[in-house]
Amino acid sequence: YLFDPRFYARYWYLNSISVAATPKTDPAANWTTLKFGDQITNVTITLAEGAASIRGRLKPADNGATPSGFGVYLIPAEPEKAADVLRYFLTTVQADGTFSLNNLPPGRYFTLVQSPDAQTNTLAKLRLPESAETRAKLRRAAESRKANLELKPCQNLTDYELKQ
């Protein structure tokens, strides 16, 4: 099992998921295994205030037409956050070139625009335990591109232009 909390407050973000168990594992990044009759206790899902949001448009290369099928990734730029799956985000670019991301933790991110592969074409799939290698590849690609973005608490970026 994976925990997938849903909430709808505009300025909240998912900060962490933890289980007080031995051995200590990160339930956001690893499967939680239960057998028939097992019960899980001491699960803590922490929401925090100060979420940021981005609404923008993809600017096509050479002022051409906006290609379809692209995704916008936000990847944590801080080295200590590289393994935190809750800091990875993906949204699809609409036919008109617009995109939006909500409930983002404040911090520094790399931005990356590319076609998502079939195994990680949604945020839920990107955060799966078996997608760790894909997240590492995305991080390397984003680091080499050096497109940085810093989000402040409660910041709402509108009309953000992202180059392809």
Side-chain angles (χ1 to χ4, degrees), residues 63-97:
N63 293 327
T66 303
S68 62
F70 274 85
V72 174
Y73 291 89
L74 285 187
I75 300 157
E78 295 108 340
E80 65 274 7
K81 300 287 186 189
D84 186 353
V85 298
L86 301 177
R87 296 293 176 132
Y88 286 80
F89 294 91
L90 166 65
T91 190
T92 55
V93 176
Q94 303 302 311
D96 64 354

Side-chain angles (χ1 to χ4, degrees), residues 3-5 14-19 25-28 43-46 86:
F3 295 96
D4 187 19
L14 181 57
N15 190 42
S16 66
I17 302 173
S18 63
V19 176
T25 60
D26 179 3
V43 175
T44 304
I45 297 173
T46 306
L86 301 177

Side-chain angles (χ1 to χ4, degrees), residues 10 25 98 110 125 129:
R10 181 176 181 172
T25 60
T98 60
F110 295 120
K125 290 180 180 179

Side-chain angles (χ1 to χ4, degrees), residues 40-161:
I40 189 166
T41 59
N42 298 324
V43 175
T44 304
I45 297 173
T46 306
L47 301 177
E49 288 184 277
S53 66
I54 302 172
R55 284 179 181 47
R57 178 176 299 279
L58 178 62
K59 182 178 178 182
D62 301 328
N63 293 327
T66 303
S68 62
F70 274 85
V72 174
Y73 291 89
L74 285 187
I75 300 157
E78 295 108 340
E80 65 274 7
K81 300 287 186 189
D84 186 353
V85 298
L86 301 177
R87 296 293 176 132
Y88 286 80
F89 294 91
L90 166 65
T91 190
T92 55
V93 176
Q94 303 302 311
D96 64 354
T98 60
F99 65 91
S100 67
L101 291 154
N102 298 307
N103 303 102
L104 303 170
R108 290 185 311 114
Y109 293 91
F110 295 120
T111 59
L112 182 64
V113 177
Q114 69 179 37
S115 292
D117 64 20
Q119 293 177 340
T120 58
N121 60 358
T122 65
L123 179 60
K125 290 180 180 179
L126 179 64
R127 290 181 173 176
L128 288 175
E130 55 266 14
S131 298
E133 186 177 322
T134 301
R135 287 189 301 271
K137 286 180 186 175
L138 288 169
R139 185 171 168 78
R140 285 191 297 272
E143 283 175 338
S144 67
R145 192 165 175 262
K146 297 182 182 180
N148 294 325
L149 172 66
E150 184 167 357
L151 296 173
K152 306 273 189 241
C154 299
Q155 182 178 13
N156 294 308
L157 289 178
T158 55
D159 298 327
Y160 183 74
E161 194 170 275

